[in-house]
Amino acid sequence: MKTQRGFTLIEVVMAFALLAVGMGIAMQIAIGAMRQTRNAAEFTEASLYAQSLVDTLGVAERLEPRQESGEFGGRYRWELTVEPYEVQPVASSSGAGTDGMAQAQTMPTVEMLRLELVVSWERGRNTHEARYVTLRAMTPQPL
């Protein structure tokens, strides 16, 4: 009598179980990648809106300390804070004084403003936000 060769029922069931586990893991990886792609796209869009807003500040009017808020495209909300920023004067030594010691001269200070822009948006039940901070030199008063 010849014995038949092939897979047993248990081997077939185990192969399908391993395939199902592998496919489940692959689906979780794909879902995570899609979530990360969506996060990156939202942060990129928020960054582009923020860049365009910051680029226009101080162009048409003198930049002054203030607080403002608004919306970009109906989805992104922004809050802008413009406040004075203290720059520490830099002391440099030049020449010797009457007692032979170097005299410290203070360099002129530059008036700076600190701009902080917070862009936030909703996705599901979560609120996401991106915070941008930069410094700008104050423009001189027009004559």
Side-chain angles (χ1 to χ4, degrees):
M1 195 164 165
K2 283 185 163 183
T3 61
Q4 292 184 345
R5 294 191 179 194
F7 295 108
T8 64
L9 181 59
I10 292 178
E11 290 173 331
V12 171
V13 169
M14 288 303 292
F16 276 118
L18 286 173
L19 179 66
V21 168
M23 290 298 287
I25 291 171
M27 290 299 291
Q28 289 298 320
I29 290 170
I31 289 170
M34 288 180 358
R35 186 177 301 122
Q36 290 298 325
T37 302
R38 183 177 57 205
N39 286 345
E42 288 175 348
F43 273 97
T44 299
E45 190 173 1
S47 294
L48 290 172
Y49 279 133
Q51 181 76 40
S52 67
L53 177 64
V54 169
D55 284 347
T56 61
L57 290 174
V59 173
E61 78 282 342
R62 180 174 161 77
L63 195 55
E64 296 287 341
R66 65 177 187 252
Q67 287 191 339
E68 292 185 58
S69 62
E71 285 190 0
F72 297 124
R75 179 170 182 208
Y76 296 90
R77 292 180 311 280
W78 58 269
E79 294 177 12
L80 173 70
T81 304
V82 180
E83 58 191 11
Y85 181 79
E86 291 291 323
V87 179
Q88 299 299 324
V90 178
S92 66
S93 59
S94 65
T98 56
D99 59 357
M101 302 208 37
Q103 293 178 340
Q105 289 184 344
T106 304
M107 301 295 287
T109 59
V110 176
E111 292 183 61
M112 301 288 286
L113 292 176
R114 179 181 184 268
L115 284 66
E116 181 175 3
L117 179 62
V118 178
V119 180
S120 60
W121 63 95
E122 303 284 331
R123 184 176 359 112
R125 288 180 259 148
N126 298 328
T127 300
H128 299 273
E129 78 174 27
R131 184 175 305 268
Y132 307 93
V133 178
T134 188
L135 295 176
R136 286 271 176 94
M138 286 190 61
T139 55
Q141 280 284 16
L143 298 176

